[in-house]
Amino acid sequence: MEASELMIGNAVNYFSLTIMVTAIKPPYFVDLGTDEKTTVTNASIEFVSPIPITEEFLEKNGFKKRYNIAYEREIDGYYIEIQLEYANMGDEFIHCHIDNCSRCTVASADIQYVHQLQNLLNIMNIKFDIKL
C-alpha cells in the first residue's frame, strides 16, 4: 500500500487496529485516529494495510443482496451496485457500478478494498459513513 492511494477518512488496518486516516504525509507516513483525534502520528505506511470488501462488510453497511453475487444500496439518490465476481483463473474481484437517480451510469470501477470504495464515492461526492 502507498500513501498516495489514501484520502483523509479512509479506513485501514494498522497492526490489529481498524482506524481512520487523519493526515497523509507522502511518501512514507500517515497519521491515524478516530473522529479527527489523532492517536498515531507518523505511522509508517509499511504497517498500514487495506481492509478487503467482504459480504459481511456490505451487509453491515446497508447493502442488500440481490441475486447471488450483487449487492445494492441507494445513497443520496445514487444507486450503488457491488458485484462479487470470479475470474476464470480463480481470482476474485469486485466491480462497483454507480447510477444517478435517472439510472444513468455515472461511475464504474473494479475495486478490492474499503478505501477504494470510499475514494470512488468521495470523488462522486456521495457521503458514505462506514461501519466496521
Side-chain angles (χ1 to χ4, degrees), residues 8 11 29 32 55 83 93 103 107 111 113 115-116 119 129:
I8 292 171
F29 299 101
L32 304 168
E55 290 186 49
Q83 295 180 4
F93 67 95
R103 288 293 191 171
I111 58 176
Y113 302 111
H115 75 276
Q116 293 171 327
N119 291 350
D129 295 323

Side-chain angles (χ1 to χ4, degrees), residues 53 82 92-96 109-113 116-117 120:
I53 294 174
I82 296 179
E92 183 177 329
F93 67 95
I94 297 166
H95 183 76
C96 181
D110 289 335
I111 58 176
Q112 290 179 302
Y113 302 111
Q116 293 171 327
L117 175 61
L120 181 59

Side-chain angles (χ1 to χ4, degrees), residues 54-92:
T54 63
E55 290 186 49
E56 179 185 352
F57 167 81
L58 293 171
E59 289 171 0
K60 190 174 189 177
N61 283 278
F63 287 85
K64 303 292 182 210
K65 192 168 192 173
R66 189 175 58 106
Y67 309 117
N68 286 331
I69 61 168
Y71 286 82
E72 270 188 337
R73 179 170 174 193
E74 185 268 330
I75 302 172
D76 296 334
Y78 290 92
Y79 299 94
I80 298 143
E81 180 181 90
I82 296 179
Q83 295 180 4
L84 308 175
E85 305 272 343
Y86 298 94
N88 292 337
M89 301 301 288
D91 296 331
E92 183 177 329

